[in-house]
């Protein structure tokens, strides 16, 4: 007889625009909470890469330009998602029921997707 032995969680990050998608990283964790913690770290990593602190000295002059008011801003969306406890509970509950969870931040044609999904291991006879 076969059955579910163990559940692990796959968390990954992708980015892209139009027809192109790029794998930005992934991890397999033993718990859904660790998968979501990894996703929150990735959200901050992506946000900081897309929207670095303007006071940093590592950027060339005029490398950063202000965003137009009301425009989509993926770094802000990523930071908001990572800090919102309601999103964290929603994601944990969804994973606990065996369904995947996905969050997508958009800015113009670009998108950044954070996903977590359960991986079920079956017992062998």
């Amino acid at each position: 007889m076969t059955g579910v032995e163990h559940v692990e969680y796959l968390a990954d990050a992708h980015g892209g625009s139009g027809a192109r998608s790029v794998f930005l990283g992934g991890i397999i964790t033993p718990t859904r909470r660790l998968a979501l913690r990894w996703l929150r770290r990735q959200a901050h990593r992506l946000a900081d890469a897309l929207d670095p602190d303007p006071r940093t000295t590592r950027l060339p002059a005029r490398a950063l330009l202000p965003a137009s008011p009301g425009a989509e801003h993926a770094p802000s969306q990523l930071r908001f998602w990572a800090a919102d406890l309601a999103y964290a509970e929603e994601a944990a509950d969804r994973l606990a029921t065996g369904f995947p969870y996905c969050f997508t931040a958009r800015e113009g044609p670009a998108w950044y997707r954070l996903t977590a999904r359960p991986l079920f291991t079956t017992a062998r006879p």
Side-chain angles (χ1 to χ4, degrees), residues 14-97:
H14 287 82
S17 66
R20 186 171 303 218
S21 175
V22 177
F23 176 71
L24 300 172
I27 190 170
I28 295 175
T29 67
T31 70
R32 64 184 182 272
R33 299 279 181 199
L34 288 175
L36 294 171
R37 183 183 303 165
W38 185 87
L39 288 179
R40 283 192 300 277
R41 278 195 227 114
Q42 294 308 300
H44 285 294
R45 179 180 70 90
L46 291 171
D48 291 345
L50 294 167
D51 186 21
D53 184 342
R55 295 169 293 196
T56 186
T57 59
R58 297 177 291 173
L59 296 172
R62 301 187 37 77
L64 299 177
L65 301 173
S68 57
E72 293 176 313
H73 191 247
S76 294
Q77 295 168 30
L78 290 161
R79 288 184 180 111
F80 179 81
W81 177 85
D84 192 300
L85 296 178
Y87 279 132
E89 283 306 310
E90 175 188 328
D93 291 347
R94 186 159 174 84
L95 290 170
T97 60

